[in-house]
Amino acid sequence: MKNIVLFGSPGVGKGTQAGILKKHYNLVHISTGDLFRHNIKNETELGKLAKSFMNKGNLVPDNVTINMLKAEVNKNANANGFIFDGFPRTESQAISLDLFLKEKGEKINGMVALEVPENLLVERILKRGETSDRPDDQDEKKIRNRFTEYKTKTAILQEYYQNQNKYFGVNGVGSIEEITQRLKEVIDNL
Ligand code: AMP
């Protein structure tokens, strides 16, 4: 199995790249943000809970997120591997993921991080908000809060994976094709 964590702050293009890479490597793409949005759309209990956090740009609590992630991995028992997009986002999520995969005799092969300067990102997200129906993309205050959440809870994961020699930074500025190429050069060697 090849298990990749696609990492980076909100708006760096994780979802776009994951969509391309999953086809190229025949991996299952799990986006916790997409899973929450799916639950919100279908008005499930999980969706109602997640919505109250997401609409403010806050992270959804770890226990809820981790349980949802595990269920999704278990649904895909025959997968070649996974691209985790938007997960883990806290150290506790990363530890849970490591333990969960270990129980299955699996591991994270690498965290591949898209690096983009923050000043380019708010504009990108507001632009995405013009065509997506994501309320958290349409309000600068919510976007700023997502960056604060990223800096205070998520950015530390770079160090977490660096300590395991599994962190690979990739320049996330350029055309979609250029960035895919850079990601492939890293992932081919994982
Ligand atoms: P995303 O689509 O990855 O930008 O996620 C959108 C929102 O979903 C985030 O701002 C959080 O509110 C929530 N979310 C997604 N993934 C996670 C996660 N791993 N942990 C906590 N909250 C998450």
Side-chain angles (χ1 to χ4, degrees):
M1 261 192 167
K2 204 176 245 200
N3 297 310
I4 310 292
V5 174
L6 197 55
F7 190 66
S9 62
V12 290
K14 298 187 292 290
T16 304
Q17 293 297 336
I20 299 169
L21 295 170
K22 73 169 180 191
K23 292 192 196 115
H24 184 77
Y25 292 104
N26 187 24
L27 302 173
V28 173
H29 170 206
I30 299 185
S31 155
T32 41
D34 285 350
L35 289 173
F36 284 133
R37 282 185 286 277
H38 181 79
N39 276 280
I40 290 173
K41 206 169 154 196
N42 291 302
E43 297 180 349
T44 66
E45 284 306 310
L46 174 62
K48 281 179 208 153
L49 179 86
K51 193 174 177 179
S52 61
F53 293 92
M54 286 173 79
N55 277 352
K56 296 192 196 90
N58 291 331
L59 292 186
V60 178
D62 280 338
N63 61 336
V64 176
T65 309
I66 291 166
N67 286 338
M68 178 180 75
L69 185 281
K70 287 182 178 175
E72 199 60 26
V73 169
N74 287 336
K75 265 190 221 162
N76 291 283
N78 297 321
N80 243 338
F82 295 89
I83 300 180
F84 297 106
D85 159 11
F87 186 96
R89 255 179 161 101
T90 63
E91 190 165 15
S92 155
Q93 292 180 15
I95 292 168
S96 297
L97 180 62
D98 276 349
L99 283 174
F100 176 62
L101 291 176
K102 199 170 172 197
E103 282 167 13
K104 296 177 181 296
E106 295 295 338
K107 62 176 182 344
I108 291 297
N109 296 73
M111 164 180 268
V112 191
L114 288 169
E115 297 172 342
V116 178
E118 184 181 324
N119 58 350
L120 296 180
L121 292 176
V122 176
E123 246 174 78
R124 252 202 222 182
I125 295 176
L126 284 167
K127 187 128 200 79
R128 180 170 73 184
E130 288 170 11
T131 49
S132 80
D133 53 3
R134 288 184 55 169
D136 62 342
D137 275 354
Q138 291 161 356
D139 175 339
E140 192 157 341
K141 205 168 135 217
K142 291 175 187 172
I143 297 172
R144 296 271 172 214
N145 192 41
R146 283 159 65 200
F147 282 113
T148 305
E149 288 282 78
Y150 180 79
K151 282 181 209 152
T152 55
K153 298 175 184 165
T154 308
I156 191 181
L157 293 181
Q158 173 170 349
E159 202 181 309
Y160 180 89
Y161 287 95
Q162 266 168 346
N163 288 339
Q164 301 184 25
N165 292 321
K166 287 182 184 171
Y167 180 87
F168 303 90
V170 168
N171 176 5
V173 182
S175 69
I176 291 177
E177 294 77 15
E178 279 166 347
I179 296 165
T180 305
Q181 196 47 41
R182 290 176 203 147
L183 290 168
K184 282 184 187 166
E185 279 163 24
V186 173
I187 296 172
D188 281 346
N189 291 307
L190 291 178

